[in-house]
């Protein structure tokens, strides 16, 4: 068990500080954008919470942060500047185990990114309620149903929305773990590009957007099939030890 913990710690040390730095900077920019837009629009006809969220463009810092974190996670374990494959083999742990440990760590990083956005909306909602004149206890709840971005982060009672969120996180985690594994074997993996492209195309999801549910499930099935083929069925060809 100690060698698995050591590998997980090694993976964590390589990117955690970068991920945290990106999230902190993203949150600061988003809060500044939201506050500026809120002070400008609050009290007007277009000064509702969901309208302020849209007009503040806080989704763009999230997009940049998501892309940067994905790049950091894909670089972890690649043979760039040093032979990471040799280092991992010295730890006497199979590359399949390394793959799943890295996928687990990547998943936690994407969950942290999601949690930061949930926290952002808690802070933003509190700021809005403190400054809004005509607001009730239902104002924030209604905004999470009416605004596509807010609903994508916290789908509330939308079960399909939570499933899509889980599929996005798992797909990104697995694809970003597959990239360095394939790179160490001299192969190129494009699954992460497909996943990122689909996230940018289909996020955010408004309530009732069931087509994205179907698309994400198809994407996840294709990704899972590709991972099974490249990681498991070809482990003899790529000399992956079990």
């Amino acid at each position: 068990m100690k060698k698995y913990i050591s590998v997980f710690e090694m993976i964590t040390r390589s990117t955690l500080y970068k991920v945290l730095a990106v999230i902190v900077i993203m949150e600061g920019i988003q809060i500044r954008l939201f506050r500026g837009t809120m002070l400008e629009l609050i009290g007007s006809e277009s000064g509702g919470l969901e309208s302020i969220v849209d007009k503040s463009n806080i989704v763009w810092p999230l997009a940049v942060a998501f892309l940067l974190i994905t790049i950091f996670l894909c670089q972890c374990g690649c043979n760039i500047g040093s032979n990471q494959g040799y280092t991992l083999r010295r730890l006497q742990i199979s590359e399949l185990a390394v793959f799943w440990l890295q996928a687990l760590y990547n998943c936690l990083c994407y969950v942290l990114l999601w949690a930061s956005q949930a926290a952002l909306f808690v802070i933003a909602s509190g700021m809005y309620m403190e400054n809004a004149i005509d607001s009730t206890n239902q104002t924030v709840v209604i905004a999470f149903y009416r605004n596509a971005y807010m609903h994508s982060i916290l789908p509330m009672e939308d079960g399909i929305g939570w499933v899509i969120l889980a599929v996005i996180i798992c797909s990104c985690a697995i694809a970003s773990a597959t990239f360095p594994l394939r790179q160490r074997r001299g192969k190129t993996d494009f699954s992460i590009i497909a996943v990122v492209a689909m996230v940018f195309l289909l996020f955010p999801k408004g309530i009732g957007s069931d087509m994205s549910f179907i698309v994400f499930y198809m994407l996840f099935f294709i990704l899972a099939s590709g991972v099974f083929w490249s990681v498991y069925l070809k482990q003899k060809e790529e000399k992956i030890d079990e």
Side-chain angles (χ1 to χ4, degrees), residues 46-87:
S46 57
L49 177 57
E50 60 270 23
S51 179
I52 294 174
V53 168
D54 283 336
K55 294 183 179 181
S56 61
N57 293 317
I58 58 176
V59 70
W60 291 110
L62 170 62
V64 174
F66 167 73
L67 189 58
L68 287 175
I69 288 174
T70 299
I71 292 173
F72 293 151
L73 296 180
C74 286
Q75 289 177 338
C76 177
C78 287
N79 288 333
I80 301 175
S82 61
N83 195 326
Q84 294 292 325
Y86 175 74
T87 302

Side-chain angles (χ1 to χ4, degrees), residues 25 37 40 49 52 65 76 78 81 92 107 130 140-141 149-150 166-167 172 174-175 181 194 196 198 219:
I25 295 172
T37 305
E40 179 182 346
L49 177 57
I52 294 174
C76 177
C78 287
Q92 297 182 340
C107 184
E130 287 179 1
V140 175
V141 175
Y149 177 24
M150 298 176 70
V167 169
C172 292
I174 293 174
L181 184 146
V196 170
M198 294 303 294
L219 173 64

Side-chain angles (χ1 to χ4, degrees), residues 31-53:
I31 291 175
R32 185 179 180 86
L33 288 172
F34 178 85
R35 185 176 183 277
T37 305
M38 180 191 69
L39 294 177
E40 179 182 346
L41 297 178
I42 199 163
S44 65
E45 293 182 359
S46 57
L49 177 57
E50 60 270 23
S51 179
I52 294 174
V53 168

Side-chain angles (χ1 to χ4, degrees), residues 142-156:
I142 293 173
F144 274 105
Y145 280 103
R146 292 166 57 173
N147 184 273
Y149 177 24
M150 298 176 70
H151 187 74
S152 295
I153 298 299
L154 286 175
M156 307 300 282

Side-chain angles (χ1 to χ4, degrees), residues 1-231:
M1 180 59 69
K2 288 182 64 177
K3 58 185 178 182
Y4 292 97
I5 296 176
S6 297
V7 171
F8 190 81
E9 289 178 346
M10 183 182 72
I11 294 171
T12 300
R13 287 195 301 270
S14 65
T15 58
L16 182 59
Y17 294 119
K18 296 178 183 178
V19 170
L20 292 176
V22 168
I23 290 176
V24 169
I25 295 172
M26 174 198 68
E27 287 275 295
I29 294 173
Q30 287 181 310
I31 291 175
R32 185 179 180 86
L33 288 172
F34 178 85
R35 185 176 183 277
T37 305
M38 180 191 69
L39 294 177
E40 179 182 346
L41 297 178
I42 199 163
S44 65
E45 293 182 359
S46 57
L49 177 57
E50 60 270 23
S51 179
I52 294 174
V53 168
D54 283 336
K55 294 183 179 181
S56 61
N57 293 317
I58 58 176
V59 70
W60 291 110
L62 170 62
V64 174
F66 167 73
L67 189 58
L68 287 175
I69 288 174
T70 299
I71 292 173
F72 293 151
L73 296 180
C74 286
Q75 289 177 338
C76 177
C78 287
N79 288 333
I80 301 175
S82 61
N83 195 326
Q84 294 292 325
Y86 175 74
T87 302
L88 292 172
R89 284 193 293 272
R90 288 186 59 189
L91 294 172
Q92 297 182 340
I93 178 174
S94 71
E95 284 198 286
L96 290 179
V98 174
F99 166 77
W100 287 114
L101 285 173
Q102 189 163 355
L104 173 61
Y105 168 73
N106 294 352
C107 184
L108 294 175
C109 287
Y110 286 117
V111 169
L112 183 61
L113 179 62
W114 165 82
S116 72
Q117 290 303 282
L120 168 72
F121 285 129
V122 171
I123 296 172
S125 298
M127 291 170 59
Y128 177 81
M129 294 296 288
E130 287 179 1
N131 292 273
I133 299 174
D134 299 325
S135 61
T136 66
N137 294 333
Q138 297 299 315
T139 300
V140 175
V141 175
I142 293 173
F144 274 105
Y145 280 103
R146 292 166 57 173
N147 184 273
Y149 177 24
M150 298 176 70
H151 187 74
S152 295
I153 298 299
L154 286 175
M156 307 300 282
E157 296 181 358
D158 182 8
I160 291 179
W162 286 108
V163 172
I164 291 176
L165 189 60
V167 169
I168 290 175
I169 291 174
C170 291
S171 298
C172 292
I174 293 174
S176 54
T178 303
F179 184 89
L181 184 146
R182 298 281 287 166
Q183 192 272 347
R184 290 195 301 270
R185 294 300 170 181
K187 307 291 182 179
T188 302
D189 186 83
F190 297 101
S191 59
I192 187 62
I193 298 177
V195 170
V196 170
M198 294 303 294
V199 171
F200 276 115
L201 286 172
L202 297 175
F203 185 91
K205 183 197 87 73
I207 189 169
S209 301
D210 293 336
M211 182 55 67
S212 58
F213 175 74
I214 298 173
V215 172
F216 271 120
Y217 254 118
M218 291 177 60
L219 173 64
F220 188 70
F221 176 77
I222 294 171
L223 173 64
S225 300
V227 169
F228 180 76
W229 173 258
S230 64
V231 176

